[in-house]
């Protein structure tokens, strides 16, 4: 017996127990409302989605073709439409998640207005967006199931059984969200408090980075400053304690390292003995050997192997790492994070290069064999230029003729139909599949794609509508495409909950219900 039918029976028993005062309550209507609201709290969602991620991680360990994907969403409606489209095109939501980007919250959701990705936005905006995304995903469930229930009411014979099977085997739009907590917005206690709010809103997976909270920069900007490992590990433990306190025992933590592009640290790490974690962190500092007679006022010194070393300190009071140490620092960061409670890694790179990423993962896997990554397929990369240059360099290294190409101009449209460009595009197409197999990438995401798609689609509409196309700019460029592609929100009244409201009015008021979906509703044209 399906859960729906079980609920009908249970509510019917409850109705009988409560006597005549419940005569107007229809158990089937109440069971439908339950089915349309499967997840009662954010913690229900967090526990459910955590189990999905853990299953997907195990499947990836067994078969690297089973990688997962997501797109960053800055509004609940965007996340909702993404999952509706995925269900429509692929029949389910398997291995597809949502990503919540701190960059997009800063740029689009702060009450201060548009901000750079530097942790200046309100931290409460993060759990608020998680809650909003899941509100819209649950509404997508309710809308689709509401349509199925209305079909069921009018169906006859075998058609009724077919529709009932769709209801009984309904696939929810609710999927895991990988949620960006930046650098924790303060100390470990602040990180814990915010993590709790994020989990209570529904987050099963929290991504945290090893930058200094009050100096945090976007991973693709300059001036990044990292913290010693022990500071970062305290925040990882804070997130784990938040998961455990709230009963999400298999919550997922993504430890992100920005060390590849971060050449600065605010602190010299505390070290108890040679070779410990603090000493390893300090070993990457740019230092010079000095004698007591060479010391200047305010100098900071490190003693190592009987030598006095003076770290290079900038006027900003930050200390500088040696050039060329980024990859080694990334590897140490990753190993340390996995050994201290993190589940997945994120290495922020300056370009999408599988060999570079894979080389670091190979070093990590010498210590942690099942290490795997979440990777940012970032819009901050010029994908076309990067891959055309990679193909060009490969051709040149093999002694092939590259005289038809100017390396610095490979972005030019004049090369679009050249063999080099076609090879580059194929590598872009298969990048996620190849990187999952060769570089240990379990989850591929694009941080802010819907920021760019909103801008692009608006530009196209504005150009046509305010130009000579007039109303045809909207009809041909938007509505006609919505209809022919089967976009759910072409019926925008339905998408906003009008039909759901009609169903509820009928449950509550019976024949007296004043419904919106009558014959004069213009949505009938669709």
């Amino acid at each position: 017996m399906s859960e729906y039918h079980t609920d009908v029976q249970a509510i019917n028993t409850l109705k009988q127990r409560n006597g005549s005062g419940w005569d107007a309550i229809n158990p089937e209507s109440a069971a439908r409302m339950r089915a349309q609201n499967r997840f009662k709290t954010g913690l229900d969602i967090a526990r459910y989605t955590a189990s999905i991620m853990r299953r997907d991680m195990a499947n990836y360990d067994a078969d690297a073709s089973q990688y997962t994907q997501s797109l960053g969403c800055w509004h609940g409606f965007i996340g909702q439409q993404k999952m509706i489209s995925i269900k429509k095109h692929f029949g389910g939501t398997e291995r597809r998640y949502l990503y919540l980007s701190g960059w997009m919250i800063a740029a689009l959701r702060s009450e201060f207005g548009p901000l750079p990705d530097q942790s200046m936005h309100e931290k409460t905006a993060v759990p608020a967006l998680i809650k909003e995304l899941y509100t819209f995903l649950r509404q997508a469930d309710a809308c689709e199931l509401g349509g199925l229930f209305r079909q069921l009411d009018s169906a006859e014979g075998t058609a009724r059984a077919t529709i009932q099977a769709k209801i009984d085997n309904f696939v929810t739009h609710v999927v895991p969200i990988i949620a960006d907590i930046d650098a924790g917005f303060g100390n470990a206690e602040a990180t814990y408090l915010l993590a709790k709010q994020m989990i209570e809103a529904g987050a099963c997976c929290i991504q945290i980075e090893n930058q200094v909270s009050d100096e945090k920069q976007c991973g693709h900007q300059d001036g990044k400053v990292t913290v010693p490992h022990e500071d970062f590990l305290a925040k990882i433990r804070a997130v784990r304690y938040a998961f455990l306190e709230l009963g999400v025992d298999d919550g997922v933590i993504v430890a992100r390292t920005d060390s590849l592009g971060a050449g600065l640290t605010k602190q010299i790490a505390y070290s108890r003995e040679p070779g410990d974690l603090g000493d390893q962190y300090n070993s990457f500092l740019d230092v010079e050997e000095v004698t007591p007679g060479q010391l200047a006022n305010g100098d900071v010194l490190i003693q190592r192997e009987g030598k006095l070393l003076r770290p290079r300190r900038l006027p900003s009071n930050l200390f500088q790492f040696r050039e060329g140490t980024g990859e080694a620092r990334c590897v140490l960061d990753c190993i340390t994070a996995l050994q201290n409670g993190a589940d997945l890694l994120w290495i922020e790179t300056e370009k999408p290069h599988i060999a570079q990423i894979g080389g670091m993962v190979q070093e990590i896997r010498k210590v942690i064999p099942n290490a795997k990554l979440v990777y940012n397929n970032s819009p901050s990369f010029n994908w076309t230029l990067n891959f055309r240059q990679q193909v060009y360099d490969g051709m040149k290294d093999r002694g092939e003729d590259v005289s038809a190409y100017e390396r610095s101009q490979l972005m030019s449209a004049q090369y679009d139909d050249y063999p080099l460009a076609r090879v580059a595009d194929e590598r872009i197409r298969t990048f996620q599949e190849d990187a999952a197999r060769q570089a240990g990438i379990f989850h591929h995401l694009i941080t802010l794609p819907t920021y760019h798609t909103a801008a692009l689609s608006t530009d196209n509409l504005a150009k046509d509508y305010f130009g000579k196309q007039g109303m045809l700019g909207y009809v041909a460029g938007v509505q006609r495409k919505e209809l022919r592609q089967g976009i759910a929100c072409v019926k925008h009244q339905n998408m906003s909950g009008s039909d759901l409201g009609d169903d509820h009015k009928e449950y509550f008021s019976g024949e007296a219900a004043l419904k919106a979906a009558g014959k004069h509703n213009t949505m009938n044209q669709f």
Side-chain angles (χ1 to χ4, degrees), residues 280 290 410:
Q280 291 180 70
V290 294
L410 287 175

Side-chain angles (χ1 to χ4, degrees), residues 54-66 95 442:
R54 292 290 178 176
R55 180 199 67 203
D56 288 346
M57 290 161 67
N59 289 342
Y60 173 80
D61 286 341
D63 178 1
S65 70
Q66 300 300 298
R95 298 187 287 120
F442 158 73

Side-chain angles (χ1 to χ4, degrees), residues 199-221:
I199 298 162
E200 288 170 338
C204 73
C205 179
I206 292 177
Q207 165 222 326
I208 185 166
E209 62 200 60
N210 69 336
Q211 290 193 50
V212 177
S213 289
D214 58 352
E215 302 280 358
K216 183 256 191 287
Q217 296 272 36
C218 171
H220 293 282
Q221 292 182 323

Side-chain angles (χ1 to χ4, degrees), residues 287-299:
V287 297
E288 60 178 339
E289 185 177 356
V290 294
T291 63
Q294 296 173 306
L295 300 182
N297 186 53
D299 273 353

